[in-house]
Amino acid sequence: MPSHQRPEAWASLRKTVVTLCLLCSTSLSPARGQARIPLETVKLWADTFGGDLYDTVTKYSGSLLLQKKYKDVEPSLKIKEVDGLELVRKFSEDMETMLRRKVAAIQNLVEAAEEADLNHEFNESLVFDYYNSDLINEKDASGAYVELGAEFILEANAHFSGLLVNTSLSSVQLPTNVYNKDPDILNGIYMSEALNPVFVENFQRDPTLTWQYFGSSTGFFRIYPGIKWTPDESGVITFDCRNRGWYIQAATSPKDIVILVDTSGSMKGLRMTIAKHTVSTILDTLGENDFVNIISYNDYIHYIEPCFKGILAQADRDNREHFKQLVDKLMVKGVGAVGRALSEAFQILQQFQEAGQGSLCNQAIMLITDGAVEEYEPVLEKYNWPDRKVRVFTYLIGKEVSFADRLKWIACNNKGYYTQISTLADAQENVMEYLHVLSRPMVINHDHDITWTEAYMDSKVGPPGTLYPQAQSLALLTTVAMPVFSKKNETRSHGILLGVVGSDVALRELMKLAPQYKLGVHGYAFLNTNNGYILSHPDLRPLYREGKKLKPKPNYNSVDLSEAEWEDRAGTLRTAMINRETGSLSMDVKVPLDRGKRVLFLTNDYFFTDISDTPFSLGVVLTRGHGEYVLLGNTSVEEGLHDLLHPDLSLAGDWIYCVTDIDPEHRKLSQLEAVVRFLTRRDPALQCDEELLQELLFDAVVTAPMEAHWTALSLNTSDESEHVVDMAFLGTRAGLLRSSLFVGSEKVSDKRFLTPADEASTFTLDRFPLWYRQAAEQPPGSMVFNLYSAEGPEDAGKPVVVTVSTAVAVTMDNKTAIAAAVGVQMRMEFLQRTFWAATRQCGAAEGPCPESCQDSDLDCFVIDNNGFILISERPQEMGRFLGEVDGALMTQLLSMGVFSQVTMYDYQAMCKPPTHHHSASQPLVSPISALLTATRWLVNELLLLLLEWSTWGSWRGDSGAEAKAVFHHSHKHKKQDVLQPCDTTYPVFVHQTAIRGADGVVECGGCQKTFVMQQIPTSNLLLLVTDPACDCSIFPPVLQEATEVKYILPTLQLNSAHNATVKCDKMRSRKLRRRPDACHAFHPEENAQDCGGASDTSASLPLLLLPLGAWVLLPRLLR
């Protein structure tokens, strides 16, 4: 987590001048004979308005009635203190049990796959039909099923999010660039048919299992349940299981990698393009437990990121993407000096190993060159022989084979592997070879390490790593995976990795084992990994909006715990959890609410422990005070059941009262239906949370009289022409929600309220509703008013309704527990009418009042405790922040201490990158310029055609599709990445409740502006009355805007050398992490002479030179 940054000098100076000006020009009493706004009158208005609101809200919400009902049953109540350590241990044990079941399932698959391989004899001429996921159920023009596309019965299955699947069989997916009848593929698929019965048995034994799969080292992917695969929009299947994090992490141990890229003059053109793609492909095989650096070399050596000079960077998503962008900018010139590059790479690896940094496991150098290598043998002899602790992998770029022997010699004499990469399409298969080499020691030892991945995002309705068109939402997953080895004695020294088996675990399902009702109003649970990254946290925001689409953030799965729990400045919580400690600590925290517009000040108690046999740690947060107490009461099942059966009662949809997702017969039941069936003993097979049901039954009984109260009110007000409220509602800690409409459903102002479309207003898996959370932090009997705006395209942002809520608390033996929150949805028109009527009061004065808020001489606002306007004479100001409307007044309230400014931080923000305009005339495009631009586009398309043509020399008929995908991806990436991850700071403004009233004068040039502020009783509202005659526009507005934290300061402030230091210090900083327990770097029986050979070179040299010439020469001629 970055340290809190000071504001930029100019902004700070400007703010200081404005504040000093205000302090010199304001007073608590009017000056220069300015007409005084009567304080007593304003107080009368505030008291009258507050009293009217209190009477209306208590009447329609029934809050006093509900408080009385809890008082009536107080003798049977008890308040229990929650033991946070006991709670976190119980949650951890439940999660451990669940995850062990997933491990047992994949262990069954590993045993079955290895046994099947042991009994299978390779058959070069094997002919075998299988269910190809891409082709199943496809027919040709004659109506017959296409080859490998036989009939495959698919049925919608609720457990798999309604997807069409076959739970009796698996199906096989292959990437477009893998030939589906290759003998290796056919033999592997035939052997893996033995997994079908194991898939089914696993699912029957543990119905909570989701996708199970086997990813083969040859490229095919067997998935259960069987499914029809959906290609991307261009008809290409790019998904390759060997690229996935679960496959790579299970197949190899952690590794330190230094990539050396030859950027000498001989690498120009297509060779450099292939080299860049090769580097990018290598980066895709790395994960957060790996470390990497990239050095380019010609006459000199160059760290492509100077900030990483002499070190290795953790290969998390942020750093990998950063390296890719830098690799894309590499230029060629000079002569390649490979000796110096190798020396530098060995020294980095040696220094890191000796310092106890990096992975402390595998170490390797990747040498990417077109073959002009000299002076390498003395370097290898000095740094790597005789122990050969660093493997060297060599990649010969291009068709030229003159230097193949040298590069193969380097690899074979350093326990590495040599490959030749002639086309873009070759990169994927050839890069994967290094993973097979690194897996050899583990394979020979038969060490079946269990691997758990970091959180990653997937379609909620698709197999791993795919985004299906029918996907409605995205879900965070972790995968448990294990490697599958060949046990044949004759191949033991080769350490043959057959593939990896895995199964997905939806983190949402895992977090259901930490139920929200046990955590209270503000409590929550979270998970983090051994690297300190968040696995699950209610404040994790993995998506951002780009236009109308929601997209994953580039760094969504490398958000550090310190970036969500940013008050943990010393890293105490993070350190304890990474070290697998069990314990607790307390922190004062600032909790953002309502999309950062508001803030709560809480004292949280954190309890934490590890989850055995996983790299994960679990944290539980309870809020000090009411958050650590739970109200318990008794009632009979019969009485509670009767009060549950009401049409306007609902339960928290995401909470697990009863398990309904295992038995197919239960999946059609709502939670309320399942509860009723369990309580009436009509379905003894249902598994329910009896503790939660006991709380639910009690809440149902105590809150039942509210229905009669609301019904009576509705009948009495049905004939009124002017309705006061749209609805009344209440919620309890057990997730029970009651509501009653006072108008027809078609007349409700905010139809989204209390529905899943408005998550903030409902009970979710990890949060209580916003109105409940705000009410819980108000003084007893006080009400929270929130202005809600319309969401529709026509009225977006227009204030439509006010939600008012208040908490119902029970206090016994000096312990206070929040039992419920109750409220109303109040019509905006009624609120305004009530206010204007209240401001016509003038106390004991006879005759018409001398002042009124509807006079042109006064300007009146009703604002909430965060400065947002609820009522104004100008409708366009309602819902806006006061500082935006009247900067002078807000600045004065801040300087007087009526409001305080709270600085908040967002370390998951997305910002627009800085724009660089080379010329002010750039937008004025001449016809000639436009013609040249179009011609360049045509050249690029020609180049793409030639690149595809040049890949036809490969034996894979569809390899051109991969080259096309690579080319399009690189160009699409540059155009569409409008936003990028950043850190921001933003202000939130909070009323200081100790100041109930204030008045003063603001000097605005040639005039003075007077104002009076008065708190409105029993609410979070303030009344502001000002003199509108004085123009104070000389003062800038006070805005609630986010500002990006700049780690490279403006050059006016610091010299460039210091700027570089600031940037590099942040990039080089390394937080505490815990390495994985297992490491398999070498094995004495390993066959190091299995180190690669020459690749196919069927494409012709002229064909390769043609796109090179097109790319290099034509665009230059067209500029």
Side-chain angles (χ1 to χ4, degrees), residues 110-123:
V110 169
E111 292 171 5
E114 291 182 349
E115 188 66 24
D117 175 71
L118 189 61
N119 297 326
H120 175 73
E121 291 292 332
F122 186 86
N123 182 355

Side-chain angles (χ1 to χ4, degrees), residues 456-510:
Y456 66 95
M457 188 170 293
D458 229 332
S459 154
K460 189 176 179 180
V461 296
T466 63
L467 287 178
Y468 274 61
Q470 64 264 47
Q472 298 300 311
S473 61
L474 296 167
L476 282 170
L477 308 170
T478 181
T479 292
V480 56
M482 287 179 70
V484 180
F485 313 137
S486 171
K487 289 185 175 181
K488 296 176 179 177
N489 288 328
E490 61 269 27
T491 60
R492 176 177 170 82
S493 65
H494 292 271
I496 295 177
L497 175 74
L498 299 176
V500 173
V501 297
S503 182
D504 292 344
V505 179
L507 292 171
R508 181 181 177 83
E509 298 304 311
L510 188 61

Side-chain angles (χ1 to χ4, degrees), residues 624-806:
R624 186 75 61 82
H626 63 76
E628 296 184 332
Y629 298 110
V630 57
L631 185 68
L632 300 177
N634 290 314
T635 190
S636 67
V637 172
E638 293 74 17
E639 188 180 9
L641 188 58
H642 173 268
D643 291 328
L644 272 177
L645 300 175
H646 192 281
D648 290 329
L649 182 147
S650 61
L651 304 183
D654 291 337
W655 291 15
I656 304 300
Y657 298 85
C658 296
V659 178
T660 58
D661 63 345
I662 294 180
D663 188 331
E665 291 299 314
H666 296 156
R667 289 180 189 144
K668 59 187 177 183
L669 299 176
S670 69
Q671 283 295 314
L672 183 56
E673 290 169 339
V675 167
V676 172
R677 291 184 68 164
F678 176 79
L679 294 175
T680 55
R681 300 183 179 179
R682 284 189 291 161
D683 195 337
L686 271 169
Q687 301 174 31
C688 298
D689 185 334
E690 296 192 27
E691 183 181 343
L692 176 55
L693 292 195
Q694 183 61 41
E695 290 189 30
L696 177 65
L697 290 173
F698 175 75
D699 289 347
V701 171
V702 178
T703 61
M706 301 294 286
E707 300 286 358
H709 174 79
W710 292 333
T711 301
L713 280 175
S714 181
L715 292 173
N716 292 335
T717 59
S718 59
D719 295 331
E720 292 184 13
S721 58
E722 294 179 343
H723 290 290
V724 175
V725 299
D726 285 353
M727 72 165 71
F729 55 86
L730 69 82
T732 73
R733 180 167 173 144
L736 178 147
L737 193 66
R738 291 187 187 271
S739 62
S740 180
L741 293 180
F742 293 103
V743 298
S745 58
E746 73 284 354
K747 295 182 180 179
V748 174
S749 302
D750 184 5
K751 296 180 175 60
R752 300 169 70 251
F753 187 69
L754 300 185
T755 69
D758 181 14
E759 275 198 354
S761 68
T762 61
F763 289 93
T764 63
L765 181 66
D766 51 20
R767 287 294 193 209
F768 275 57
L770 176 63
W771 48 266
Y772 198 127
R773 300 180 69 197
Q774 285 185 284
E777 296 311 306
Q778 288 292 110
S782 184
M783 298 170 181
V784 178
F785 289 73
N786 257 354
L787 185 65
Y788 281 78
S789 301
E791 296 285 343
E794 297 179 1
D795 301 316
K798 179 182 177 183
V800 292
V801 70
V802 173
T803 298
V804 193
S805 58
T806 184

Side-chain angles (χ1 to χ4, degrees), residues 259-307:
I259 303 173
L260 303 179
V261 189
D262 183 352
T263 52
S264 61
S266 62
M267 287 286 289
K268 63 183 178 180
L270 186 58
R271 288 184 179 179
M272 197 65 227
T273 303
I274 296 172
K276 290 177 180 180
H277 181 50
T278 301
V279 175
S280 180
T281 305
I282 293 172
L283 289 172
D284 285 338
T285 67
L286 304 179
E288 60 184 32
N289 290 317
D290 303 319
F291 289 78
V292 66
N293 205 338
I294 303 177
I295 298 173
S296 68
Y297 69 92
N298 39 45
D299 298 303
Y300 305 95
I301 60 172
H302 312 271
Y303 286 86
I304 69 168
E305 173 48 76
C307 289

Side-chain angles (χ1 to χ4, degrees), residues 879-1009:
R880 294 169 64 189
F881 179 60
L882 176 66
E884 180 186 349
V885 172
D886 193 333
L889 182 56
M890 192 68 208
T891 304
Q892 169 62 9
L893 292 173
L894 286 166
S895 68
M896 294 173 64
V898 176
F899 274 83
S900 63
Q901 178 175 323
V902 180
T903 301
M904 303 289 285
Y905 295 89
D906 182 1
Y907 297 107
Q908 301 176 61
M910 298 292 289
C911 302
K912 289 185 177 179
T915 54
H916 302 284
H917 298 288
H918 300 290
S919 169
S921 62
Q922 187 69 21
L924 304 176
V925 181
S926 68
I928 296 176
S929 175
L931 177 62
L932 291 177
T933 300
T935 311
R936 287 192 197 105
W937 171 84
L938 185 61
V939 170
N940 276 334
E941 291 301 305
L942 175 62
L943 170 61
L944 174 59
L945 176 64
L946 295 172
L947 283 174
E948 291 184 66
W949 192 15
S950 71
T951 63
W952 291 347
S954 172
W955 62 270
R956 294 183 296 274
D958 290 318
S959 58
E962 182 170 326
K964 181 178 181 180
V966 169
F967 185 87
H968 275 310
H969 174 75
S970 63
H971 286 260
K972 185 177 179 182
H973 178 77
K974 292 176 184 176
K975 291 180 181 178
Q976 292 191 352
D977 281 353
V978 179
L979 300 178
Q980 62 186 20
C982 63
D983 300 338
T984 61
T985 179
Y986 62 95
V988 177
F989 301 90
V990 181
H991 170 237
Q992 298 303 297
T993 55
I995 303 178
R996 303 182 61 83
D999 64 302
V1001 177
V1002 183
E1003 188 82 30
C1004 299
C1007 64
Q1008 294 176 318
K1009 180 170 189 162

Side-chain angles (χ1 to χ4, degrees), residues 129-156:
D129 287 335
Y130 57 92
Y131 290 111
N132 185 304
S133 292
D134 185 36
L135 300 175
I136 52 175
N137 299 329
E138 295 288 328
K139 295 183 179 181
D140 58 21
S142 66
Y145 287 108
V146 300
E147 191 176 12
L148 301 180
E151 182 181 10
F152 193 73
I153 297 172
L154 297 170
E155 296 176 341

